Amino acid sequence: MNQTKKKNSSGKETKPQTSFVNKLFKGSKLRSSKAESRRESNDLETSDCQPSNGTQETTTPDPAKSQPLSSEMEEESREEKNEQLLQNLHKKAVNKCLNLSNCGLRTADMKELGEALKVIPELEELNLSWNSKVGGNLPLILQALREGSKIQTLELVDCALTSEDAMFMGQLLPMLQNLEVLDLSINRNISGSLNSIAQGLKNTSNLKVLKLQSCGLSQDSVKILDAAFRYLCHLRRLDLSCNKDLGGGFEDSPAQLATLRHLQVLDLHQCSLTVGDVLSLTQVIPLLSNLQELDLSANKKMGISSENLFSRLRFLPALKALLINNCALEIETFTALAEASVYLPGLEIFSLSWNKCIGGNLKLLLGTLKLLASLQVLRLSSCSLVTEDLALLASIIQTGHLAKLQKLDLSYNDSICGTGWTIFCQNVQFLKELTELDISLRPSNFRDCGQWFGHLLSAVTKLPEITEIEMKRWVLSASQEEEVECFHQDDKRSIHFDHGGFQ
């Protein structure tokens, strides 16, 4: 990199530029006094680079004062922002963990990053996710790891990886004998070189987590991966979700999947599973006796073909989370699921949203809901629930069941009348550990709150853990608005009511 001084367009000399990656491994002495003083005056706290959650505060600039930044000012601003990250990142590197996710790495950074990784041979965790310039440059970056590495976690989510990158990854994997976590999710171009990755996986016997969400996997991909599964005897988590072309890949009895005896999490949501897939998985899934979480959501063919699969879930005593959202369940399959769930007393998460057949038939889950003493999350959004269903749920709550429930989603069940909401709100006070409640209406439906709202406010005063009440599109009257204001004055907790506004 050219470190000679240059003159800018105004004739002033500019400081030689040092890349962000180069500075990263030189420690705190490179922090400019200007950046340091700004840090001290604002008492800034730097943290790991993480994807923005959209909650950062923004200020509106004064139009009279707003002027375009010169390229020099923009560069200084970028460098100061990056320098504020250097201290934390340097410490993380020293602590064997380097997180550069969503840090806007540039093409110019790639080679230097590869060189820099050579100076931390003790590195155990590396996260380069959400940096699109990594794609096409993976060999350049990870060249240091080829010489032997202690890396245990490698995350490359949404890095625009190419087929050539995938080929390199397949060659690299046998050298990562300590690798436990590999996340290549949201890289759709790697499927063409999946053979190479699968060959490499055969030499990563310590792998515990494999995530290939939304990687463009096809029917053939299942067979390719299946050949590697018998070498992954320590695998705990397998995520193949959001690969819509995967449907049909399990039809030829993926026997090696059954060898993952220690598997705890299997995520196959939104994989377009076929009737044949479900039939094959019916033979395999019950053999995974250590399975704790199973997600089969958004597979519409489940609704007509999963009766036998659900019946055999009773052979999974360790199951803690069962997600069957939006599977177009029919009454026969729902009945089989209800009967089997009685044998799953350890369930902590039970999610059945967007299955319309549950409406009017919640009584089939009566026995289950009474036995699930550990249930923390229950989701029944858009299930066409009726007033009788809500009254049944209220009676279960009233008798002391579901005492551990923390999150309850009853949204988008617009057929419930005011009487049903009244009965429910009179009994929700018994859910002492409840933190979140969602009773929102559908986006196209606005309704006035009935008298039940007063019962809800009264119940909230008796719920010590509640923080969020979603009731979108429920419209409050003027008197109810006053009740809310009085509630906030009397109750010092920060409880968020997200409602549809006032009349």
Side-chain angles (χ1 to χ4, degrees):
M1 180 177 291
N2 186 2
Q3 296 293 327
T4 60
K5 294 184 177 181
K6 298 180 181 179
K7 290 186 178 182
N8 60 17
S9 57
S10 63
K12 297 181 180 179
E13 288 186 343
T14 61
K15 297 179 181 180
Q17 295 183 352
T18 304
S19 80
F20 173 45
V21 171
N22 193 292
K23 290 180 180 181
L24 170 60
F25 296 94
K26 289 187 178 181
S28 60
K29 293 181 180 180
L30 289 175
R31 181 179 299 282
S32 68
S33 59
K34 182 178 180 181
E36 184 65 37
S37 62
R38 178 174 297 180
R39 175 185 172 90
E40 291 175 354
S41 62
N42 293 330
D43 192 26
L44 291 174
E45 293 184 3
T46 55
S47 60
D48 297 344
C49 288
Q50 294 290 351
S52 172
N53 59 11
T55 59
Q56 294 178 339
E57 294 184 1
T58 58
T59 56
T60 304
D62 184 349
K65 298 180 181 179
S66 297
Q67 294 189 13
L69 290 173
S70 67
S71 59
E72 180 182 358
M73 292 173 65
E74 289 178 345
E75 184 65 27
E76 288 181 357
S77 176
R78 175 189 174 87
E79 288 189 4
E80 287 180 9
K81 183 181 293 186
N82 284 342
E83 284 174 349
Q84 290 172 6
L85 295 171
L86 289 179
Q87 285 295 320
N88 185 280
L89 292 173
H90 182 69
K91 292 176 182 177
K92 295 294 281 184
V94 171
N95 289 327
K96 305 180 181 181
C97 173
L98 179 58
N99 188 340
L100 291 173
S101 66
N102 197 33
C103 281
L105 296 179
R106 300 167 294 181
T107 302
D109 295 321
M110 298 300 110
K111 183 176 181 180
E112 292 185 2
L113 178 57
E115 292 297 322
L117 289 178
K118 293 180 179 180
V119 306
I120 44 175
E122 301 297 315
L123 189 66
E124 294 179 355
E125 299 181 19
L126 176 61
N127 189 346
L128 300 177
S129 299
W130 296 290
N131 287 292
S132 60
K133 298 302 181 182
V134 171
N137 291 296
L138 200 62
L140 199 62
I141 301 169
L142 301 184
Q143 56 183 329
L145 305 186
R146 295 174 65 90
E147 301 167 2
S149 171
K150 295 184 179 180
I151 203 78
Q152 295 179 12
T153 298
L154 181 58
E155 297 177 87
L156 299 169
V157 179
D158 198 10
C159 285
L161 298 183
T162 66
S163 182
E164 290 73 20
D165 291 326
M167 289 286 291
F168 169 78
M169 179 60 66
Q171 299 167 6
L172 176 65
L173 285 173
M175 304 180 191
L176 306 182
Q177 291 299 301
N178 296 302
L179 191 65
E180 295 182 356
V181 177
L182 177 63
D183 193 347
L184 302 177
S185 297
I186 320 180
N187 288 290
R188 298 191 62 82
N189 293 324
I190 68 173
S191 59
S193 298
L194 191 64
N195 265 311
S196 178
I197 293 177
Q199 288 297 320
L201 288 173
K202 293 179 180 180
N203 296 280
T204 56
S205 59
N206 291 314
L207 196 67
K208 295 180 180 178
V209 177
L210 176 61
K211 295 184 179 181
L212 296 172
Q213 181 189 81
S214 192
C215 284
L217 303 185
S218 64
Q219 292 183 8
D220 292 337
S221 301
V222 178
K223 300 177 180 63
I224 293 171
L225 291 171
D226 191 52
F229 286 153
R230 68 188 181 95
Y231 297 92
L232 304 178
C233 56
H234 296 293
L235 198 66
R236 300 290 193 274
R237 176 184 291 266
L238 177 61
D239 185 352
L240 302 179
S241 63
C242 300
N243 287 290
K244 296 182 180 180
D245 295 327
L246 201 68
F250 290 99
E251 291 185 4
D252 295 331
S253 298
Q256 300 305 326
L257 183 61
T259 64
L260 301 177
R261 299 290 185 179
H262 297 287
L263 196 67
Q264 297 177 350
V265 179
L266 178 59
D267 192 344
L268 296 175
H269 84 265
Q270 202 171 347
C271 284
S272 301
L273 297 181
T274 65
V275 173
D277 289 327
V278 175
L279 180 61
S280 179
L281 291 171
T282 299
Q283 308 301 318
V284 174
I285 289 179
L287 300 177
L288 305 175
S289 58
N290 288 301
L291 202 63
Q292 296 182 11
E293 180 178 330
L294 177 62
D295 191 347
L296 298 173
S297 300
N299 289 292
K300 296 297 184 65
K301 296 294 178 66
M302 293 284 297
I304 59 173
S305 60
S306 56
E307 188 172 347
N308 289 333
L309 173 59
F310 289 155
S311 295
R312 302 190 69 187
L313 291 180
R314 67 186 66 198
F315 299 115
L316 301 177
L319 203 62
K320 294 182 178 180
L322 181 58
L323 295 87
I324 312 291
N325 302 306
N326 198 20
C327 284
L329 297 184
E330 297 185 353
I331 189 62
E332 293 80 11
T333 49
F334 177 55
T335 300
L337 175 60
E339 292 175 352
S341 60
V342 175
Y343 298 93
L344 304 174
L347 273 185
E348 297 176 358
I349 300 175
F350 201 11
S351 193
L352 298 170
S353 295
W354 298 90
N355 289 294
K356 307 299 184 184
C357 75
I358 297 177
N361 294 299
L362 191 64
K363 57 183 177 290
L364 295 175
L365 284 177
L366 179 61
T368 297
L369 295 178
K370 286 184 175 181
L371 291 173
L372 296 183
S374 301
L375 193 65
Q376 298 175 16
V377 179
L378 177 61
R379 301 194 185 280
L380 296 170
S381 175
S382 193
C383 285
S384 297
L385 298 183
V386 296
T387 299
E388 291 74 17
D389 294 322
L390 206 56
L392 175 69
L393 184 60
S395 68
I396 295 172
I397 294 172
Q398 184 184 36
T399 53
H401 302 290
L402 302 180
K404 298 292 183 181
L405 201 63
Q406 298 176 12
K407 298 180 181 180
L408 177 58
D409 187 355
L410 299 173
S411 61
Y412 296 5
N413 287 291
D414 296 5
S415 298
I416 300 170
C417 70
T419 302
W421 288 118
T422 297
I423 296 172
F424 171 76
C425 291
Q426 288 174 334
N427 291 282
V428 71
Q429 61 179 300
F430 298 110
L431 299 177
K432 298 301 183 183
E433 296 189 18
L434 193 67
T435 61
E436 298 179 19
L437 172 65
D438 194 343
I439 58 173
S440 300
L441 297 171
R442 292 180 179 278
S444 60
N445 190 13
F446 282 80
R447 284 165 60 181
D448 295 336
C449 285
Q451 294 182 352
W452 56 264
F453 183 71
H455 295 294
L456 178 61
L457 278 182
S458 176
V460 169
T461 63
K462 302 171 184 176
L463 298 176
E465 304 297 331
I466 194 76
T467 59
E468 187 81 19
I469 298 179
E470 297 280 349
M471 42 186 300
K472 293 182 177 68
R473 290 165 288 281
W474 284 106
V475 182
L476 303 182
S477 66
S479 61
Q480 289 169 338
E481 178 183 359
E482 292 179 2
E483 290 182 52
V484 173
E485 291 178 356
C486 291
F487 171 83
H488 285 305
Q489 290 175 0
D490 296 337
D491 194 305
K492 302 305 180 183
R493 293 174 298 169
S494 179
I495 300 175
H496 181 225
F497 285 88
D498 189 356
H499 54 77
F502 307 111
Q503 289 180 350

